[in-house]
Amino acid sequence: MAQLKATSLNSSIGLASYGPRRNTFSNPDNLIFSRKLSSFQELSGKSSSLHGHAIVSNNGSIPITPKNQGIQAVLSSNTGTEDSKATKGGGLRGKLNKVVLAYSGGLDTSVIVPWLRENYGCEVVCFTADVGQGIKELDGLEEKAKASGACQLVVKDLKEEFVRDYIFPCLRAGAIYERKYLLGTSMARPVIAKAMVDVAREVGADAVSHGCTGKGNDQVRFELTFFALNPDLNVVAPWREWDITGREDAIEYAKKHNVPVPVTKKSIYSRDRNLWHLSHEGDILEDPANEPKKDMYMMSVDPEDAPDQPEYVEIGIDSGIPVSLNGKALTPASLLAELNEIGGRHGIGRIDLVENRLVGMKSRGVYETPGGTILFNAVRELETLTLDRETIQVKDSLALKYAELVYAGRWFDPLRESMDAFMEKITETTTGSVTLKLYKGSVSVTGRTSPYSLYREDISSFESGDIYNQADAAGFIRLYGLPMRVRAMLKKGI
């Protein structure tokens, strides 16, 4: 009998899935799209020992009551005699009791489920996360998980946590990797991995598993988070162990193990989407000389096709953190979502980047970050009023290292946490508002104000004033230029 453990924020439940990689059957580095799970509307329930959430079975019918953010759904299923046999003894590679798998319902993760059971003799708990990938149909995901041999399906809505606890600290720090990259994928991985560790504790799992390849950054990001939060967990990375080399191998393995093969339209691009950004890799982009195709973009219009009239937005900021849009206070996720819509229709936030991956190779990606680009400009501009020269210089130098740590998956490293404490302290007075003009792909600052502004019109004005005496500049210049004078005197033998 199938059982469902559920608490719901609303009637729809977002799930993440992995996008395809060119020349393989998946791109485990990338999480894309969510779909609506509508079959959990009316079920019957009983009490659960897992943090007071409701366990719901299909013997009766009661509506699911919306609760606070957390685990949204867990599908428990008995998969029959075959499952029992698979988990009684050890597997081909050893013995684990229960593994939490990052799950999408696509071909790659559907195959990983039986592979884990066959090779480690374990139960598999499938986990999916909503970090703002968007809405896509998700009918039958629970059936797919059960058919693949999983014992549970766990869903978490992480959007607010993602923006509040990961994106906004990076924004406050001014973190940007290699001059362009606003760390969209890098910030999402630790929040997902942390949730997996939480689920592993709740369901009593002794291992976690992901579908990242051995060539990407994400394997590092996931596993460093696992190590930092629960070093006792075993980590299984099938792509570094199995003999499957591509999509055809995966399909053959699925058929051999009676796993339904998902039939989906395969994108020519490898994409990663969350509430902060959308990245594109693969196909013609693998040649850095090729211009991206116009129809590739999904979050933003071509700047040439953007409205002929500019749009102005006002961003309210409190201690370096965005809190309002055009005078309206919004939650972090809602604020970012609205700015994505506004920025997208003006073609804001497109970048084309050749980056240095952590594992040593270069890769080319095209990124769409409309809302993030607007917020990054707003916060940085407000700092010109509230921070002095020395502070800005130190902050900017630390931001480079901060971005490097996030990119490398070291979110829970004490160094990043200590740097974050500095950023929080130094931006205590970065409060105020910034007005920006959006026009055909460009973001221009038109106004900024802060109650903690260090800018004084009575000092900066070209008109004479009592505070700044222009005659004082002569002595300052003589002292400031003294090292240069001494060097010149040495050359001349004076």
Side-chain angles (χ1 to χ4, degrees), residues 141-401:
L141 186 73
E142 63 274 29
E143 287 82 6
K144 290 179 183 178
K146 180 179 178 180
S148 296
C151 67
Q152 289 181 299
L153 171 66
V154 181
V155 181
K156 281 194 176 185
D157 182 347
L158 304 177
K159 293 191 292 295
E160 290 293 348
E161 180 184 357
F162 176 41
V163 181
R164 180 189 64 243
D165 298 338
Y166 295 81
I167 290 178
F168 279 2
C170 286
L171 185 65
R172 177 178 60 198
I176 185 169
Y177 182 72
E178 295 192 340
R179 304 171 184 170
K180 289 183 178 182
Y181 180 42
L182 292 175
L183 300 168
T185 301
S186 310
M187 295 184 294
R189 296 304 178 250
V191 69
I192 297 170
K194 176 180 177 293
M196 292 179 67
V197 172
D198 292 340
V199 170
R201 181 184 66 253
E202 292 167 349
V203 302
D206 57 341
V208 287
S209 180
H210 60 75
C212 305
T213 70
K215 296 179 69 175
N217 296 316
D218 281 346
Q219 58 180 335
V220 181
R221 294 164 180 160
F222 273 105
E223 293 181 33
L224 291 191
T225 300
F226 299 151
F227 296 161
L229 300 182
N230 188 350
D232 294 329
L233 282 173
N234 295 288
V235 179
V236 183
W239 270 101
R240 302 201 299 257
E241 297 185 31
W242 63 17
D243 297 324
I244 295 174
T245 60
R247 186 176 180 85
E248 294 305 317
D249 286 348
I251 292 174
E252 185 64 28
Y253 186 91
K255 290 180 179 178
K256 179 180 177 182
H257 291 79
N258 298 316
V259 175
V261 178
V263 180
T264 59
K265 184 178 180 180
K266 192 171 183 289
S267 172
I268 61 173
Y269 299 106
S270 168
R271 288 188 168 106
D272 166 47
R273 184 167 188 167
N274 58 48
L275 201 53
W276 183 249
H277 86 161
L278 171 61
S279 68
H280 312 265
E281 294 179 341
D283 197 59
I284 66 166
L285 299 180
E286 292 183 350
D287 183 350
N290 288 335
E291 180 181 5
K293 293 181 180 179
K294 186 173 182 177
D295 62 0
M296 178 191 72
Y297 296 92
M298 301 175 67
M299 287 185 74
S300 60
V301 304
D302 192 313
E304 295 177 356
D305 301 327
D308 293 329
Q309 296 299 319
E311 182 171 355
Y312 292 83
V313 294
E314 181 185 7
I315 309 297
I317 299 168
D318 186 1
S319 297
I321 300 296
V323 294
S324 67
L325 172 60
N326 296 328
K328 179 183 178 182
L330 296 169
T331 67
S334 297
L335 174 60
L336 181 55
E338 287 203 24
L339 279 175
N340 280 336
E341 179 69 24
I342 295 171
R345 64 173 174 256
H346 290 279
I348 305 298
R350 294 182 172 190
I351 65 165
D352 188 332
L353 171 68
V354 175
E355 68 190 72
N356 290 291
R357 283 187 179 177
L358 181 63
V359 292
M361 68 184 72
K362 287 185 179 290
S363 65
R364 191 247 188 128
V366 176
Y367 300 90
E368 297 177 78
T369 319
T373 299
I374 295 170
L375 290 176
F376 194 87
N377 278 273
V379 173
R380 184 165 57 180
E381 190 63 29
L382 189 60
E383 289 178 348
T384 65
L385 289 183
T386 62
L387 303 182
D388 60 56
R389 177 178 57 196
E390 295 294 330
T391 301
I392 288 178
Q393 290 175 355
V394 171
K395 183 176 182 293
D396 285 351
S397 65
L398 290 177
L400 295 174
K401 185 62 178 179

Side-chain angles (χ1 to χ4, degrees), residues 1-19:
M1 178 187 301
Q3 290 184 326
L4 175 72
K5 165 176 162 288
T7 63
S8 176
L9 294 178
N10 48 52
S11 61
S12 65
I13 296 176
L15 298 176
S17 64
Y18 289 97

Side-chain angles (χ1 to χ4, degrees), residues 32-110:
I32 60 169
F33 303 118
S34 67
R35 293 173 284 182
K36 190 171 293 182
L37 187 57
S38 58
S39 60
F40 298 161
Q41 297 273 327
E42 291 190 352
L43 300 163
S44 69
K46 62 181 179 179
S47 176
S48 167
S49 60
L50 296 179
H51 301 291
H53 298 314
I55 294 266
V56 184
S57 70
N58 57 4
N59 292 331
S61 61
I62 61 172
I64 296 175
T65 304
K67 293 187 179 181
N68 293 333
Q69 179 173 332
I71 292 183
Q72 288 190 322
V74 175
L75 173 69
S76 301
S77 61
N78 297 325
T79 53
T81 306
E82 184 181 347
D83 288 358
S84 300
K85 291 180 179 179
T87 58
K88 279 183 179 179
L92 300 176
R93 297 171 184 264
K95 173 61 180 173
L96 295 169
N97 293 321
K98 186 178 291 186
V99 179
V100 175
L101 167 68
Y103 180 75
S104 69
L107 177 60
D108 55 346
T109 52
S110 294

